[in-house]
Amino acid sequence: DEVAPRVADGGVDCVLSDYKMPGMTGVDVLDEVRAIDPKLPVILLTDTGSESVASEAIAAGISDYVIKGRIKEQYTLLTSKITTHVDRRRAEAVAADTERQLHELAENTNDIMWIFSADWTELEYINSRYETMFGQSIESLQENPESFLQATHPDDVDDLTQAMERCSAGYTQDIEYRIEAGDDWKWVESHAEPIVEDDTVVRVAGFTHDITERKQRELEL
């Protein structure tokens, strides 16, 4: 009866339960826990080791299952399983928090932040700033990852595609080019960095920012 309130209060890393108990089973405990925290590890330590029990527990989504025995190694195994599941849960929480922070950072900048596959045929990530700067939807870019070239000034397309090819070959690139801005053109600058694993470029990442005002000042000077 105390399981659900304890889990709801927070601070629980893992629930360890027997299977066969008065008035309930470990699967009942699992249901109570998962109704509050769908990802909280729940492990059964039970002397009931029939295939039907194991099948029921696995089908219900139990995290792990250890059968009681007379040998002390069972506790070493149990300790290992608890540690593994708790470490994984904590790592996922850290990763989720980091992802949230990175998303907030990416969505609160005036620059476009992007990641493409090494050959530019697949968009892996781009923030919403792309839509306001290029006047194209992210969905259209996902469908055709090189559609941003359609918004690029015709005189700059060759230079831009050559820079993309050099980045795919493993060379950092910085390039200035013009893109459509209504009835006019605006200047942007892109920094592209190859991401290398085992001496192979696996993706390219970078950012693009508006440099129109800077170019206008340069022209005035």
Side-chain angles (χ1 to χ4, degrees), residues 30-221:
L30 172 68
D31 292 340
E32 291 285 342
V33 170
R34 291 290 168 81
I36 299 168
D37 187 340
K39 295 184 178 181
L40 185 67
V42 179
I43 298 175
L44 288 186
L45 174 64
T46 177
D47 57 7
T48 304
S50 68
E51 291 184 3
S52 60
V53 170
S55 297
E56 180 187 4
I58 292 170
I62 203 75
S63 304
D64 228 318
Y65 190 99
V66 178
I67 299 174
K68 294 178 184 176
R70 296 181 181 277
I71 56 175
K72 64 180 181 180
E73 284 77 8
Q74 66 175 317
Y75 297 109
T76 302
L77 175 62
L78 178 62
T79 300
S80 175
K81 288 181 178 292
I82 293 174
T83 301
T84 297
H85 285 286
V86 172
D87 286 349
R88 181 184 300 135
R89 175 178 169 84
R90 290 177 176 175
E92 289 173 350
V94 170
D97 189 52
T98 301
E99 183 177 355
R100 176 187 59 78
Q101 293 174 343
L102 290 174
H103 178 75
E104 291 175 352
L105 175 64
E107 291 302 320
N108 287 279
T109 177
N110 291 324
D111 293 346
I112 303 173
M113 303 178 70
W114 44 263
I115 303 174
F116 286 84
S117 59
D119 59 2
W120 301 86
T121 60
E122 182 180 352
L123 173 67
E124 296 190 10
Y125 173 79
I126 197 164
N127 61 348
S128 60
R129 177 63 174 148
Y130 171 78
E131 297 187 339
T132 57
M133 190 180 294
F134 276 74
Q136 299 177 346
S137 68
I138 291 176
E139 288 76 14
S140 65
L141 186 63
Q142 288 172 330
E143 293 174 0
N144 179 11
E146 293 189 0
S147 61
F148 63 88
L149 292 173
Q150 298 170 3
T152 303
H153 194 289
D155 293 344
D156 297 336
V157 170
D158 286 345
D159 289 341
L160 182 54
T161 53
Q162 289 175 18
M164 292 163 61
E165 291 171 359
R166 287 193 292 269
C167 189
S168 295
Y171 300 96
T172 298
Q173 297 293 303
D174 289 289
I175 183 171
E176 299 177 359
Y177 55 99
R178 291 161 289 180
I179 62 174
E180 291 183 20
D183 296 329
D184 204 352
W185 300 91
K186 59 185 174 185
W187 282 91
V188 297
E189 181 179 43
S190 289
H191 174 84
E193 193 76 31
I195 308 301
V196 179
E197 295 179 4
D198 297 326
D199 298 324
T200 301
V201 177
V202 294
R203 62 185 64 86
V204 290
F207 58 87
T208 301
H209 56 271
D210 191 331
I211 60 169
T212 303
E213 292 185 5
R214 191 185 82 192
K215 298 296 287 188
Q216 289 174 343
R217 288 196 299 270
E218 290 175 358
L219 289 172
E220 291 172 0
L221 290 173

